[in-house]
């Protein structure tokens, strides 16, 4: 019986020793994985001008260990943005711009549709940012990783989303002015004579109001151009 007890104790000690060795080995890999992940975030996103969301290679994913799941918060957000926002945004921007007042009247429905699409895209970005934010808050990150990840997250999630929404808000302001102008032109259609890009208005009062509305629309269009340049600068880093 004594021999059996001694054997059991030795077996238990051997098992515990094996588990301890595995535990030490596992803990030993984490600092190296974390260091590799921090270096990756710093070099490939934080220090790099413009918007960049690298696709991990199998080797990189393996070298980051569980931290690859942290990076998935960023990549999943961008994949969802590409699928739900980018293509509709490109479609919206590809629409032929209105260049004459007669076109504005004829295509008022297009202006209204663009306005609706823009508002929907902003709501989608809010939803995607909120979903990514919830996942980010749940991450457990060491003190040396968190500030670097926060910077990368801002560059790849927060800043692009906010810039896109800012552009869309400005775009909607221009579209609102365009809708008002179209309504004004339709209301006074009997007093307008269109010839190409020119419009003749005989009533001085109507002419003055048309000039005020056109000045507002031109100012809103200039704001859209500035917002577009800011957005492109954020994306390109220039």
């Amino acid at each position: 019986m004594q021999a059996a007890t001694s054997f059991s104790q030795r077996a238990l000690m051997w098992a515990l020793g094996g588990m301890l060795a595995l535990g030490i080995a596992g803990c030993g890999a984490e600092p190296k994985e974390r260091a590799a992940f921090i270096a990756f975030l710093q070099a490939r996103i934080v220090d790099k001008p413009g918007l960049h969301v690298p696709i991990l290679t199998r080797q990189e994913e393996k070298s980051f260990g569980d931290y690859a799941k942290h990076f998935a918060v960023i990549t999943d957000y961008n994949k969802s943005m590409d699928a739900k926002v980018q293509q509709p945004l490109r479609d919206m921007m590809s629409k032929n711009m209105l260049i004459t007042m007669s076109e504005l009247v004829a295509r008022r429905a297009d202006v209204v549709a663009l306005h609706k699409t823009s508002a929907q895209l902003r709501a989608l970005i809010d939803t995607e940012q909120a979903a990514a934010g919830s996942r980010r808050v749940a991450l457990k990150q060491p003190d040396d990783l968190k500030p670097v990840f926060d910077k990368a997250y801002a560059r790849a999630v927060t800043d692009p989303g906010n810039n896109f929404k800012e552009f869309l808000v400005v775009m909607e302001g221009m579209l609102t002015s365009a809708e008002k102008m179209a309504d004004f032109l339709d209301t006074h259609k009997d007093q307008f004579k269109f010839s190409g890009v020119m419009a003749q208005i005989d009533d001085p009062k109507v002419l003055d109001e048309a000039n005020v509305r056109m000045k507002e629309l031109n100012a809103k269009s200039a704001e859209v151009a500035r917002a577009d340049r800011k957005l492109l600068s954020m994306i390109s880093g220039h």
Side-chain angles (χ1 to χ4, degrees):
M1 178 64 74
Q2 182 63 34
T5 303
S6 177
F7 175 78
S8 296
Q9 290 174 340
R10 285 197 301 271
L12 179 60
M13 291 297 291
W14 178 84
L16 288 173
M19 292 174 64
L20 182 61
L22 287 173
I24 293 174
C27 291
E30 189 277 335
K32 186 176 180 180
E33 293 167 350
R34 179 170 17 116
F37 187 46
I38 290 173
F40 169 84
L41 293 174
Q42 191 71 47
R44 300 287 296 279
I45 298 181
V46 177
D47 291 341
K48 205 167 184 179
L51 175 59
H52 301 279
V53 183
I55 298 175
L56 298 185
T57 64
R58 289 184 179 181
Q59 182 58 40
E60 286 171 334
E61 188 172 355
K62 182 178 179 181
S63 70
F64 300 157
D66 283 343
Y67 291 118
K69 297 176 183 177
H70 293 220
F71 192 60
V73 174
I74 293 175
T75 56
D76 288 351
Y77 167 82
N78 278 272
K79 288 176 184 176
S80 187
M81 284 285 288
D82 285 342
K84 299 178 182 179
V85 176
Q86 296 292 0
Q87 189 56 54
L89 181 60
R90 282 191 288 267
D91 292 342
M92 185 179 79
M93 296 305 296
S94 69
K95 299 286 186 182
N96 292 328
M97 298 304 293
L98 305 171
I99 59 174
T100 68
M101 286 191 280
S102 59
E103 285 181 336
L104 183 57
V105 174
R107 294 175 54 192
R108 186 187 186 284
D110 291 342
V111 175
V112 173
L114 285 175
H115 201 159
K116 182 179 180 180
T117 298
S118 181
Q120 290 171 339
L121 291 178
R122 281 195 298 109
L124 274 172
I125 295 172
D126 281 336
T127 299
E128 295 302 322
Q129 283 185 319
S134 296
R135 292 178 63 187
R136 175 194 177 196
V137 169
L139 297 176
K140 306 298 182 183
Q141 296 180 328
D143 292 341
D144 58 343
L145 169 58
K146 190 177 186 307
V148 181
F149 185 87
D150 286 349
K151 290 178 183 178
Y153 184 92
R155 289 285 299 277
V157 177
T158 306
D159 293 345
N162 289 346
N163 272 273
F164 275 116
K165 288 189 293 185
E166 180 182 334
F167 170 79
L168 292 171
V169 167
V170 174
M171 172 69 77
E172 288 164 36
M174 186 270 288
L175 293 171
T176 296
S177 292
E179 290 172 34
K180 290 179 180 178
M181 187 65 187
D183 291 340
F184 173 79
L185 293 172
D186 186 58
T187 299
H188 300 280
K189 58 187 175 184
D190 293 337
Q191 296 170 285
F192 282 84
K193 296 177 182 178
F194 297 110
S195 178
V197 298
M198 302 300 294
Q200 181 180 339
I201 310 172
D202 295 329
D203 188 326
K205 183 177 179 181
V206 175
L207 176 60
D208 289 343
E209 187 171 353
N211 285 332
V212 170
R213 291 178 181 275
M214 184 56 69
K215 185 178 180 179
E216 176 188 327
L217 181 55
N218 288 337
K220 294 293 184 181
S221 296
E223 290 179 14
V224 171
R226 286 192 293 270
D228 185 46
R229 289 194 295 271
K230 180 180 178 182
L231 183 60
L232 292 175
S233 177
M234 182 274 300
I235 294 172
S236 67
H238 300 300

